[in-house]
């Protein structure tokens, strides 16, 4: 695993306190969160105080925001070196509230192509093995990197699995493959024939096409004008409909190659320079839903 130093050594507050007024424990838990917010007094610089307050409120459980903001504004000020510690403890308390106050669920950040062509066809097996965990997929982000504010885990591709406070588990390294429709494939006898066809570009992956083309013996390929797609899913569909050649990780088109919908006209063993990882916040690595999903997805790759 690769990742920055996390917060696993900090112990979250005891979640057992119950407010005798309503018996739910909610008030007690937010009192604990209050104890960690001692950020600024009126005499501090307004800009710095607002930044730390906004960050604390953003990272807090929604039901506790009003109380956290009041505590931050009115509480005793902390020394400057204690600011980050206070925010980290708020985040730990938020995680504790989430684990004790909600049913088991897991939001997975995943690229739309990976979701449609790889994850969804296999996901029923996870649901049958772990019916107590509701899996939600978030494929709305165009960013290649994991966003822990949007999801519990991310199934992502990266060349730099080293962002701080995250744990990266390598799932697979992939071979690049150039594919096209059967009609175009029949016209490609040598690597030089690639110059007669458009390469279908995908945002953020242009290096893959150049790397693959060089591996099959054609360098300095001057690509003909072609549309730019924001996902591999769209580019693969365009390639299947005879619009050109697309270079993608092989696992995304294995089914299409097997059924003849797409053809790989030139063989290559070149690999993507990065890897495919499951990534999550380091401090959340012991959560049951994350551990079970990680174990399952490792068995699928």
């Amino acid at each position: 695993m690769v990742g920055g130093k996390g917060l696993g050594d900090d112990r979250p507050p005891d979640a057992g306190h119950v407010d005798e007024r309503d018996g739910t424990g909610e008030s007690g838990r937010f009192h604990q969160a209050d104890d960690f917010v001692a950020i600024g007094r009126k005499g501090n610089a307004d800009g710095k105080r607002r930044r730390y307050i906004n960050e604390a409120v953003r990272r807090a459980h929604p039901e506790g925001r009003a109380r956290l903001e009041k505590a931050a504004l009115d509480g005793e000020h902390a020394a400057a070196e204690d600011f980050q510690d206070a925010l980290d403890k708020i985040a730990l308390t938020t995680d504790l509230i989430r684990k004790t106050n909600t049913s088991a669920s897991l939001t997975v950040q995943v690229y739309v192509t990976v979701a449609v062509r790889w994850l969804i066809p296999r996901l029923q097996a996870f649901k049958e093995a772990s019916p107590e965990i509701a899996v939600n997929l978030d494929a709305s982000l165009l960013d290649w990197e994991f966003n822990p504010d949007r999801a519990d885990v991310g199934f992502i591709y990266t060349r730099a699995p080293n962002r701080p406070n995250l744990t990266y588990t390598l799932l697979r390294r992939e071979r690049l493959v150039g594919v096209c429709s059967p009609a175009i494939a029949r016209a490609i006898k040598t690597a030089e024939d690639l110059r007669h066809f458009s390469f279908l570009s995908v945002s953020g992956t242009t290096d893959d096409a150049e790397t693959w083309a060089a591996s099959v013996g054609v360098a300095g390929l001057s690509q003909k004008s072609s549309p730019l797609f924001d996902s591999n899913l769209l580019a693969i569909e365009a390639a299947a409909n005879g619009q050109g050649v697309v270079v993608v990780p092989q696992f995304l088109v294995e089914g299409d190659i097997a059924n003849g919908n797409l053809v790989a006209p030139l063989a290559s063993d070149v690999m993507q320079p990065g890897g495919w990882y499951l990534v999550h916040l380091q401090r959340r690595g012991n959560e049951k839903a994350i551990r079970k999903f990680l174990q399952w997805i490792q068995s699928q790759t």
Side-chain angles (χ1 to χ4, degrees):
M1 294 189 180
V2 185
K5 177 175 174 57
L7 306 173
D9 294 336
D10 292 333
R11 294 183 59 83
D14 182 7
H17 178 78
V18 177
D19 191 321
E20 295 179 354
R21 291 174 298 174
D22 59 19
T24 65
E26 293 300 316
S27 179
R29 282 199 294 274
F30 287 120
H31 277 305
Q32 293 160 347
D34 289 350
D35 293 340
F36 290 121
V37 185
I39 304 173
R41 71 165 64 161
K42 293 180 180 178
N44 283 1
D46 288 343
K48 179 177 288 187
R49 177 164 55 84
R50 281 197 301 270
R51 284 196 299 274
Y52 282 111
I53 291 170
N54 289 340
E55 177 66 4
V57 172
R58 183 185 69 79
R59 294 171 64 176
H61 191 278
E63 297 176 19
R65 287 180 179 175
R67 183 172 299 208
L68 287 170
E69 185 172 14
K70 183 176 185 301
L73 288 167
D74 300 336
E76 293 294 327
H77 81 284
E81 61 269 20
D82 292 333
F83 282 145
Q84 187 59 51
D85 183 59
L87 297 177
D88 291 341
K89 288 178 179 178
I90 289 170
L92 287 169
T93 304
T94 300
D95 292 340
L96 180 63
I97 292 169
R98 175 173 50 247
K99 287 187 286 186
T100 58
N101 195 43
T102 63
S103 59
S105 66
L106 189 74
T107 298
V108 181
Q109 177 184 326
V110 60
Y111 311 132
V112 65
T113 312
V114 177
V116 170
R117 291 181 160 261
W118 191 89
L119 183 57
I120 290 175
R122 293 166 171 79
L123 199 55
Q124 185 60 31
F126 177 77
K127 293 181 179 179
E128 292 173 358
S130 303
E132 76 282 6
I133 301 174
V135 177
N136 309 305
L137 302 183
D138 185 349
S140 62
L141 297 180
L142 295 180
D143 191 351
W144 286 85
E145 297 294 338
F146 173 56
N147 183 348
D149 293 330
R150 292 284 299 268
D152 302 304
V153 298
F155 181 13
I156 68 163
Y157 171 81
T158 183
R159 298 187 186 187
N162 55 11
R163 293 173 64 195
N165 301 320
L166 298 179
T167 294
Y168 293 80
T169 300
L170 179 64
L171 298 178
R172 61 195 304 150
R173 294 195 184 277
E174 274 300 313
R175 179 177 288 104
L176 289 172
V177 59
V179 292
C180 58
S181 68
I184 289 180
R186 286 192 291 270
I188 298 176
K189 305 300 182 182
T190 69
E192 285 298 317
D193 294 330
L194 292 171
R195 299 185 187 277
H196 303 302
F197 300 97
S198 296
F199 270 72
L200 305 178
S201 301
V202 180
S203 298
T205 69
T206 53
D207 289 347
D208 287 350
E210 294 172 2
T211 299
W212 178 82
S215 76
V216 297
V218 55
L221 192 65
S222 177
Q223 297 185 16
K224 299 175 69 175
S225 177
S226 62
L228 176 67
F229 299 92
D230 66 8
S231 77
N232 280 317
L233 184 65
L234 300 178
I236 291 169
E237 187 67 18
N241 282 278
Q243 296 182 30
V245 179
V246 64
V247 176
V248 293
Q250 184 171 327
F251 80 108
L252 297 180
V253 292
E254 285 175 334
D256 297 273
I257 294 173
N259 64 28
N261 192 40
L262 289 170
V263 178
L266 299 172
S268 171
D269 290 327
V270 70
M271 305 294 289
Q272 280 188 298
W276 292 82
Y277 295 84
L278 194 78
V279 56
H280 57 78
L281 285 171
Q282 193 172 60
R283 66 170 181 266
R284 298 186 59 190
N286 288 326
E287 292 183 18
K288 179 181 177 181
I290 291 177
R291 285 190 290 105
K292 282 198 166 188
F293 189 79
L294 174 57
Q295 292 168 0
W296 172 79
I297 203 169
Q298 284 179 309
S299 74
Q300 302 293 309
T301 57

